[in-house]
Amino acid sequence: MTASHSDSLVVLFGATAGAYGAKLGSDERELILLVWQVVDLPSKKVGTLHKSLVKADNLDLSDQCREVSGLTPEGLGKAEPLDRVLQQFSQLVSSDLKVLGRSSYTLCSDGQLLIRQVLHPETSKKNFLLSDCFYSFYDLRKEFHTCYPSSAAVKDQTIKTMAEYLGLGTDETEEDFGVWQVKTMVAIIFSMLSESGVHVFTEPETVKYKYETGPCSKSETVDSETVIRARGLPWQSSDQDIARFFKGLNIAKGGVALCLNAQGRRNGEALVRFVNSEQRDLALERHKHHMGSRYIEVYKATGEEFLKIAGGTSNEVAQFLSKENQVIIRMRGLPFTATQEDVLGFLGPECPVTGGKEGLLFVKYPDGRPTGDAFVLFSCEEYAQNALKKHKEILGKRYIELFRSTAAEVQQVLNRYMSTPLIPTLPTPIIPVIPPPYTIATGSIRDCVRLRGLPYTAGIDDILEFMGDATADIKPHGVHMVLNQQGRPSGDAFIQMKSADKAFMVAQKCHKKMMKDRYVEVFQCSGEEMNFVLMGGTLNRSGLSPPPCKLPCLSPPAYAAFQTAAVIPAEAALYQPQALLPTTRTPQASTTAPPTVTYYPAQAAQLYMNYTAYYPSPPVSPTTVGYIAAPPGAVAAAATATHTPILPQPGALVRMQGLPYNTGMKEILSFFQGYQLHADSILVLYNFSGQPSGEALVTFPSLDLAKKAVAEKNGQLLGSRYVELYLV
């Protein structure tokens, strides 16, 4: 009997300081035990059985570990660290093979977890390399099921059940922990070799050495059982960083797609496609594992979602990405007049571009106008690092931003710009959603500042850099970028500061300071003044001008915004509990008027209302802050409504996230069956484009019922997606 890969197996067993069995490695606990023995397949001889304790950085053992293994922190404190133990492993295996007259071997473990979920992730975090032998191994459970098809399914197998199936009379209590497991695994292998027909170890499991980049076509078929969504990623994460987080698991070629927000910036999420469902299921076990100091959430996703982010149709992009194993760098903020020669000259001879001009891809609008973005290919990490050192250096009169990028990001950016209409048109009127407890400021206290004359390409990062140390004094979710009537940046922004004094200091310090190639005016203002501008009015040195709404409003002309006490009909899909834009005072407004809701008719709203984008401010972690679009029918209904205020529903509000995009009220009602809900309790949220955002708000009759729903239903499946629930 010989194996196609080698003539010898090294039977390997290990344990961590935490979970045991089917949950091995799911809690990120370190390896504390390795036991192994060499098996010569042709002669059925074995080498010496070795048991080695491993000194972990954290010797706090779980109760299950103490009970099952019998190990103690005191005993482990005298052991060698993992890198030394692995060196000893290689030396001892080589010595045993020499005695048996062999030179090559393949590992054989009980399942996938020890190799994929423990050894590879831990050594990656500790920054040392595993030897080549750990990239190929036999899964004894799969081999056993191949040899004995009538035995239990692979996922239900254990060393004990396999031994019992063969009638092996081994007693677990007679041996030390780990020793019994290895001896039994060896006995199982010998039984398999003695079977009629003789079992052959021919197809080992493989672990990919590195992540392979590559393009993805929208016409490709992607199995939904192979895709996950990772949340909470550091914004600067690259595809290689994400592949390292999933080290030990086989990601499909070009299978990492970083998600971008409405402004084209990374939002802390990524979709990852694995080679099969087994690898995907192992990836789900890394839910809340850490990348640096941040924990990453891992959920199921669909093939449709992956193709929406990573799929492309452009031949130009496919040709650009066809050069495999290239490092991709994104350049942002290029002068619109920049040529290929300008970019190559900016990068210089120390970071040569692959293929010269062929390694450059300028991003353009459908009419050929440049966007200021470009992607560059480099043949190696060294050249890419040299390029990244030029981050924020000047080309022409602009400083250029450089970031690591991915094939999927190239597709996303090109898809985004190529789908931009040549004649911009406004979507249905939208109202921004601000996650509680954050509300827009109101009143006459001058605790806000207005930035005027911003570069149209300026984003949240540019503003925070412009404000310098004063960013520490910004209220959470206090940065408001004003968009014009075409939905594009207007050059204005408002910042809510923690106090009027802080606002005064910022205005004094930053007024007429340069941002990129423009100087920016900074004025101190009040929340009341800010709200007038956000509702379409103008703000100048001579005072306030009200919004130019020429069509009649449906309530007294207070230019009021949506009161806390007001609820907009469910069919309008608006988020009612927050005071999004509090009432401002005008000479026409009565101080005794009852709370009202102002609706602008559809035409007036499209012509005169400003739009505002809301961003989380540091140190708030990335959140998904969307927009809620009112369907045209709802706006038309509002235009014929009476002045009667609509009172809010009593109860407690729950936010749903991660919904399938085709989810409607019927599906949500079915999901919460038994919780006394009706259709008017549900608001489906829409994004900036008027498409379902994957979120909804649900009003429960009582706080206790809402808490019960969150406790019982959070993390459960709706369709093919895990749904997250939060009390608002």
Side-chain angles (χ1 to χ4, degrees):
M1 158 64 200
T2 60
S4 63
H5 193 71
S6 66
D7 290 329
S8 303
L9 299 180
V10 174
V11 178
L12 184 68
F13 177 83
T16 70
Y20 173 73
K23 287 295 182 180
L24 183 70
S26 64
D27 52 7
E28 282 189 289
R29 299 302 297 273
E30 295 170 275
L31 192 75
I32 58 170
L33 174 70
L34 273 181
V35 186
W36 69 91
Q37 187 171 30
V38 175
V39 178
D40 182 54
L41 297 177
S43 65
K44 296 186 181 179
K45 292 181 179 179
V46 297
T48 305
L49 191 147
H50 301 277
K51 178 176 180 179
S52 183
L53 299 181
V54 183
K55 184 179 180 180
D57 294 338
N58 181 3
L59 292 176
D60 182 20
L61 308 183
S62 70
D63 292 340
Q64 184 185 27
C65 175
R66 290 172 183 267
E67 179 182 349
V68 172
S69 69
L71 299 173
T72 63
E74 293 75 24
L76 293 171
K78 301 173 184 178
E80 296 283 356
L82 181 58
D83 55 344
R84 294 288 301 277
V85 169
L86 292 177
Q87 289 177 10
Q88 295 171 7
F89 169 82
S90 296
Q91 294 168 1
L92 292 170
V93 167
S94 297
S95 177
D96 288 346
L97 286 172
K98 190 174 181 180
V99 171
L100 293 170
R102 302 296 177 184
S103 58
S104 63
Y105 65 93
T106 305
L107 297 178
C108 180
S109 65
D110 170 35
Q112 306 272 315
L113 303 183
L114 176 61
I115 306 292
R116 295 191 185 275
Q117 299 285 62
V118 178
L119 280 166
H120 278 281
E122 184 173 339
T123 54
S124 177
K125 288 178 182 177
K126 293 181 176 179
N127 291 314
F128 62 86
L129 297 175
L130 281 171
S131 62
D132 290 348
C133 69
F134 290 98
Y135 288 85
S136 178
F137 67 98
Y138 288 108
D139 180 344
L140 183 59
R141 301 185 187 195
K142 289 185 179 179
E143 297 293 328
F144 186 85
H145 189 71
T146 301
C147 187
Y148 303 101
S150 61
S151 62
V154 173
K155 63 183 180 64
D156 299 324
Q157 299 279 18
T158 65
I159 296 174
K160 190 171 184 178
T161 60
M162 288 187 286
E164 289 174 349
Y165 184 87
L166 296 173
L168 299 177
T170 54
D171 187 355
E172 187 174 356
T173 60
E174 291 182 359
E175 305 283 358
D176 290 342
F177 179 72
V179 173
W180 175 85
Q181 282 84 349
V182 170
K183 285 185 174 181
T184 305
M185 289 167 70
V186 171
I188 292 170
I189 291 171
F190 285 158
S191 295
M192 292 164 61
L193 296 177
S194 301
E195 279 294 301
S196 57
V198 184
H199 180 74
V200 181
F201 289 83
T202 55
E203 296 182 8
E205 299 282 318
T206 58
V207 180
K208 285 192 175 184
Y209 281 88
K210 63 178 182 179
Y211 167 65
E212 299 174 279
T213 61
C216 175
S217 170
K218 280 193 180 297
S219 61
E220 205 172 315
T221 301
V222 178
D223 184 356
S224 291
E225 296 301 310
T226 64
V227 183
I228 62 94
R229 179 183 295 272
R231 277 182 173 174
L233 299 164
W235 68 268
Q236 70 273 30
S237 297
S238 68
D239 54 352
Q240 298 295 340
D241 295 323
I242 296 167
R244 187 175 181 182
F245 175 80
F246 290 108
K247 185 70 174 174
L249 306 181
N250 293 342
I251 298 174
K253 183 177 180 179
V256 177
L258 295 164
C259 301
L260 306 181
N261 62 17
Q263 289 70 43
R265 297 177 184 266
R266 296 173 188 173
N267 65 1
E269 295 190 9
L271 292 168
V272 186
R273 177 189 179 190
F274 294 88
V275 296
N276 55 41
S277 59
E278 180 184 37
Q279 302 291 302
R280 191 282 307 266
D281 291 343
L282 291 173
L284 292 172
E285 291 296 326
R286 299 197 188 182
H287 180 57
K288 294 198 173 180
H289 282 205
H290 287 77
M291 181 184 286
S293 59
R294 302 186 63 151
Y295 72 81
I296 309 302
E297 300 173 63
V298 182
Y299 303 100
K300 289 182 179 179
T302 66
E304 181 183 354
E305 290 175 290
F306 182 83
L307 285 175
K308 186 176 181 181
I309 297 297
T313 56
S314 168
N315 291 331
E316 183 184 14
V317 176
Q319 185 176 356
F320 176 76
L321 297 175
S322 63
K323 301 177 178 65
E324 297 183 3
N325 299 321
Q326 300 289 307
V327 183
I328 306 174
I329 297 295
R330 180 179 180 182
M331 302 180 72
R332 197 165 61 195
L334 292 168
F336 295 142
T337 57
T339 64
Q340 291 177 321
E341 290 78 8
D342 294 332
V343 174
L344 292 174
F346 172 81
L347 294 170
E350 63 272 20
C351 37
V353 176
T354 300
K357 294 180 181 180
E358 293 181 1
L360 294 177
L361 179 66
F362 285 89
V363 183
K364 298 178 181 180
Y365 290 106
D367 58 0
R369 290 179 296 122
T371 65
D373 278 26
F375 292 94
V376 189
L377 295 178
F378 295 100
S379 60
C380 66
E381 186 66 31
E382 180 184 357
Y383 294 159
Q385 288 290 348
N386 290 339
L388 290 172
K389 292 175 183 176
K390 296 180 181 291
H391 180 59
K392 294 197 174 179
E393 288 190 8
I394 301 296
L395 174 59
K397 295 183 179 180
R398 306 283 298 274
Y399 74 80
I400 311 302
E401 299 173 298
L402 291 96
F403 306 95
R404 287 181 174 277
S405 189
T406 67
E409 186 172 37
V410 176
Q411 297 283 18
Q412 279 188 86
V413 173
L414 266 293
N415 291 346
R416 182 185 304 277
Y417 282 113
M418 291 307 292
S419 63
T420 303
L422 296 179
I423 303 175
T425 56
L426 270 180
T428 307
I430 51 177
I431 300 298
V433 180
I434 304 176
Y438 308 117
T439 59
I440 292 183
T442 187
S444 58
I445 298 175
R446 299 174 65 79
D447 58 353
C448 303
V449 291
R450 181 186 188 185
L451 276 60
R452 191 167 65 185
L454 295 168
Y456 294 130
T457 57
I460 180 68
D461 296 333
D462 303 310
I463 290 176
L464 297 180
E465 182 179 354
F466 173 81
M467 295 185 66
D469 296 339
T471 55
D473 300 316
I474 299 175
K475 287 184 177 180
H477 296 268
V479 181
H480 311 288
M481 300 284 289
V482 182
L483 307 182
N484 64 18
Q485 294 166 355
Q486 285 74 43
R488 296 190 176 186
S490 66
D492 279 22
F494 286 93
I495 315 291
Q496 292 176 255
M497 307 301 293
K498 291 181 179 177
S499 68
D501 291 340
K502 300 294 185 184
F504 175 79
M505 293 299 294
V506 169
Q508 292 294 315
K509 179 180 177 182
C510 297
H511 184 55
K512 294 198 174 181
K513 179 179 171 182
M514 296 295 292
M515 180 186 292
K516 298 186 178 180
D517 56 349
R518 301 187 63 171
Y519 73 81
V520 178
E521 298 176 291
V522 183
F523 305 107
Q524 186 179 8
C525 66
S526 67
E528 180 181 44
E529 293 168 327
M530 178 179 75
N531 287 327
F532 255 84
V533 175
L534 299 187
M535 286 301 294
T538 59
L539 174 62
N540 50 46
R541 296 179 186 274
S542 61
L544 303 173
S545 299
C549 183
K550 298 179 181 179
L551 298 180
C553 296
L554 301 180
S555 57
Y559 306 108
F562 303 65
Q563 303 295 318
T564 305
V567 174
I568 296 169
E571 63 268 24
L574 296 177
Y575 179 30
Q576 70 271 24
Q578 285 292 333
L580 297 179
L581 298 172
T583 305
T584 51
R585 293 178 295 172
T586 67
Q588 297 89 348
S590 170
T591 56
T592 59
T596 59
V597 175
T598 298
Y599 289 101
Y600 290 93
Q603 182 183 1
Q606 290 186 1
L607 290 175
Y608 305 117
M609 288 187 72
N610 284 344
Y611 294 84
T612 307
Y614 295 89
Y615 298 84
S617 301
V620 179
S621 60
T623 56
T624 303
V625 182
Y627 296 82
I628 301 171
V635 179
T640 58
T642 65
H643 297 189
T644 307
I646 306 171
L647 299 178
Q649 297 178 1
L653 200 63
V654 170
R655 189 184 191 101
M656 304 180 72
Q657 290 185 342
L659 297 170
Y661 293 122
N662 59 354
T663 301
M665 291 187 183
K666 288 183 179 179
E667 288 80 6
I668 295 175
L669 286 172
S670 177
F671 182 78
F672 287 114
Q673 188 174 5
Y675 286 87
Q676 305 172 29
L677 298 182
H678 49 84
D680 291 341
S681 306
I682 298 168
L683 302 179
V684 178
L685 307 189
Y686 296 81
N687 62 21
F688 186 84
S689 304
Q691 301 297 318
S693 66
E695 299 189 12
L697 297 168
V698 182
T699 304
F700 284 79
S702 68
L703 180 60
D704 289 341
L705 202 59
K707 288 181 177 178
K708 180 183 177 184
V710 171
E712 293 179 352
K713 306 294 286 186
N714 185 39
Q716 290 194 12
L717 282 171
L718 196 162
S720 61
R721 302 286 300 275
Y722 287 102
V723 178
E724 296 177 80
L725 304 178
Y726 303 95
L727 275 174
V728 177

